[in-house]
Amino acid sequence: MGYNPSRSGFIAGVRSSSTPESHYVPVYPSNIKRDAALRALAPELPCYVKFPKVVYNKALSFKRHFAGTTMYAVKCNTDPLFLRQIYRAGIRDFDVASIKEIALIHDLFPDAKMHFMHTIKPIEAIRRAYFDYGIRDFSLDYMEELEKILEATDHANDLSLFVRFAPPKNGSASIDFSSKFGCSAEEAVTLLQSARPVSQKLGLAFHVGTQTTDMSAYTRALNLTQQIIAEAGISVDALDIGGGFAVDYPDSTAPQMENSLLNLNKLIRDMGLEHLELYAEPGRVMVAEGAFLVVRVEQRKDNLLYINDGTYGGLFDAGKALGQQFAVRHIPAQPAITQQHDTAFKLAGPTCDSLDMMDGPFLLPNTIKTGDWIEIRNLGAYSQVLRTPFNGFDEHQTLEM
Ligand SMILES: Cc1ncc(COP(=O)(O)O)c(C=O)c1O
């Protein structure tokens, strides 16, 4: 699914001949339509252009292709517009990480099942999750957390406990979580053995890291799953393969989601793990393609464009920490003939911090000037949720299409 700014819109239709029958390709309103809507709104603030249908179709496709229960990782985008699409696609399970996320899902979807999959939880949050919101599924990667869960739930006998282990290092992820979360294989064996007598359902969990483009990371994690279960010598009921599924960025090409899921289902069967109750916790892949962010050029200094959003706003991933590249498209303030996107620009955010700069490179026409807009694609994930009020630049606008 390459992006070509000179084309008017994306591939029309949801099927592409070189892909499996049911591979979903996002369909967007044409560039002409989007630009007309944008010029009519003339946003002075950063503006998310949202495509709820894209999120609906993506969620539907994930759910159809994964041979287990799909839970959506709420942290990735908490916008009720998107959450409702995910629910409409039939997803009733949600991975939550805080009481605020729990309350949000509870209020929107009273029949949803929530899974508290943050491995380090305040004791009060566990208590409220269990007693006020009926949550029974918790993850852990340390003995003290097991003790905390038992204490907070008054030693409940209806718990589903997931021991999260750290999979082998994964260089293809944009962020590998293993240094922060997940225990070693040896610790996982001990934790499983300790949790078994106090669990109604006992599971293993892993997360290979976000934006994983090399699916062999899942294979390595599944191999370790097998070893841990064999070593523990007890019955294990469930396996949560986490999130990590990727989308396309200019510097990072995602494997086709549907193919990846079918291959994973097969791998799990071939490894004799299909008796486990299966879960996945996708975040990014469900929503990233569901929103673009349109920013305005406030000043051009040669090849540096000062824009009205930055790394303290919706563009954290483009900043120094990750340096993620994004596909961009020039939208001149006045309609003009499309120019070649052949000049490399850097972007500077609106705050007074010089860390608030994005090296890209962002390929745009050399005619770009103050007052023009830039459409930045695939910002439905880890963007709106990361906005901060630093320097008073947290406001944004929305255009739903
Ligand atoms: C526990 C957990 N599950 C799922 C996710 C979603 O991951 P992704 O957006 O890479 O699919 C995350 C991301 O931080 C996570 O921490």
Side-chain angles (χ1 to χ4, degrees):
M1 192 189 72
Y3 171 58
N4 177 351
S6 65
R7 231 170 24 200
S8 65
F10 258 7
I11 304 159
V14 294
R15 289 188 177 143
S16 140
S17 56
S18 63
T19 59
E21 250 261 90
S22 55
H23 172 222
Y24 170 65
V25 178
V27 186
Y28 298 102
S30 70
N31 291 354
I32 294 171
K33 252 197 177 157
R34 297 206 300 280
D35 294 359
L38 195 85
R39 288 199 184 94
L41 182 69
E44 291 173 22
L45 299 171
C47 180
Y48 286 100
V49 184
K50 295 182 180 171
F51 311 101
K53 256 194 229 150
V54 169
V55 171
Y56 169 77
N57 283 320
K58 203 76 194 217
L60 198 63
S61 200
F62 194 102
K63 185 174 183 295
R64 280 191 180 148
H65 287 84
F66 178 56
T69 300
T70 304
M71 25 171 150
Y72 168 63
V74 174
K75 69 203 77 180
C76 191
N77 190 325
T78 54
D79 187 337
L81 175 71
F82 284 181
L83 291 170
R84 286 198 181 95
Q85 296 306 315
I86 288 164
Y87 184 89
R88 195 164 75 83
I91 290 172
R92 295 290 179 273
D93 291 71
F94 294 85
D95 154 34
V96 286
S98 65
I99 287 296
K100 205 164 171 190
E101 286 184 0
I102 290 170
L104 172 71
I105 297 300
H106 173 79
D107 290 350
L108 282 174
F109 317 122
D111 66 334
K113 181 169 181 200
M114 290 185 271
H115 309 252
F116 205 164
M117 303 309 268
H118 195 311
T119 53
I120 295 150
K121 300 169 281 298
I123 193 158
E124 299 83 358
I126 301 170
R127 184 165 263 282
R128 285 193 63 195
Y130 184 87
F131 289 105
D132 299 349
Y133 293 101
I135 294 177
R136 297 294 179 263
D137 293 21
F138 299 90
S139 72
L140 59 120
D141 63 5
Y142 203 60
M143 197 60 82
E144 205 177 294
E145 186 73 10
L146 176 59
E147 288 158 12
K148 214 197 283 173
I149 293 169
L150 294 177
E151 188 189 331
T153 59
D154 296 343
H155 293 264
N157 61 8
D158 57 355
L159 295 171
S160 296
L161 298 181
F162 287 79
V163 172
R164 178 166 164 183
F165 66 91
K169 271 250 163 286
N170 170 19
S172 87
S174 70
I175 309 176
D176 185 324
F177 299 135
S178 302
S179 53
K180 185 167 177 188
F181 297 112
C183 57
S184 68
E186 297 72 39
E187 288 165 330
V189 168
T190 310
L191 279 170
L192 281 177
Q193 289 166 343
S194 306
R196 179 70 275 180
V198 291
S199 306
Q200 193 176 74
K201 192 192 291 174
L202 180 63
L204 268 175
F206 60 78
H207 194 304
V208 292
T210 198
Q211 183 64 14
T212 288
T213 51
D214 177 1
M215 293 304 290
S216 68
Y218 290 89
T219 310
R220 289 192 295 276
L222 287 169
N223 277 326
L224 202 50
T225 303
Q226 245 184 351
Q227 287 169 30
I228 292 169
I229 293 175
E231 186 67 26
I234 51 164
S235 68
V236 173
D237 313 305
L239 172 65
D240 176 357
I241 65 166
F245 301 91
V247 298
D248 277 335
Y249 302 102
D251 54 354
S252 174
T253 304
Q256 222 175 62
M257 179 186 85
E258 289 81 357
N259 261 347
S260 300
L261 291 170
L262 295 177
N263 289 339
L264 272 176
N265 296 337
K266 181 171 180 315
L267 189 63
I268 288 166
R269 276 197 312 274
D270 292 349
M271 291 174 99
L273 296 171
E274 78 276 19
H275 63 284
L276 298 172
E277 204 176 307
L278 279 183
Y279 295 88
E281 302 171 18
R284 179 189 303 275
V285 81
M286 305 277 258
V287 291
E289 295 161 309
F292 300 165
L293 179 64
V294 174
V295 297
R296 194 170 72 171
V297 179
E298 302 299 356
Q299 194 162 126
R300 176 175 174 179
K301 285 189 191 167
D302 298 323
N303 285 13
L304 179 60
L305 301 174
Y306 290 76
I307 57 171
N308 61 352
D309 206 4
T311 62
Y312 293 94
L315 291 167
F316 176 84
D317 285 359
K320 307 280 182 203
L322 279 189
Q324 177 78 63
Q325 290 184 9
F326 288 91
V328 290
R329 190 173 63 86
H330 177 216
I331 307 175
Q334 302 303 323
I337 305 285
T338 308
Q339 304 283 322
Q340 285 297 315
H341 283 52
D342 57 3
T343 309
F345 287 91
K346 292 183 180 186
L347 303 179
T351 69
C352 56
D353 187 349
S354 58
L355 276 181
D356 188 6
M357 295 183 79
M358 297 146 276
D359 290 341
F362 300 91
L363 286 182
L364 290 158
N366 201 19
T367 51
I368 193 165
K369 57 182 190 317
T370 302
D372 289 351
W373 290 285
I374 303 168
E375 178 185 78
I376 309 177
R377 303 180 74 96
N378 291 358
L379 270 167
Y382 304 113
S383 173
Q384 197 175 329
V385 284
L386 296 180
R387 307 191 74 84
T388 77
F390 181 40
N391 269 193
F393 291 113
D394 52 330
E395 284 182 291
H396 67 272
Q397 290 173 261
T398 299
L399 183 62
E400 190 184 324
M401 295 194 81

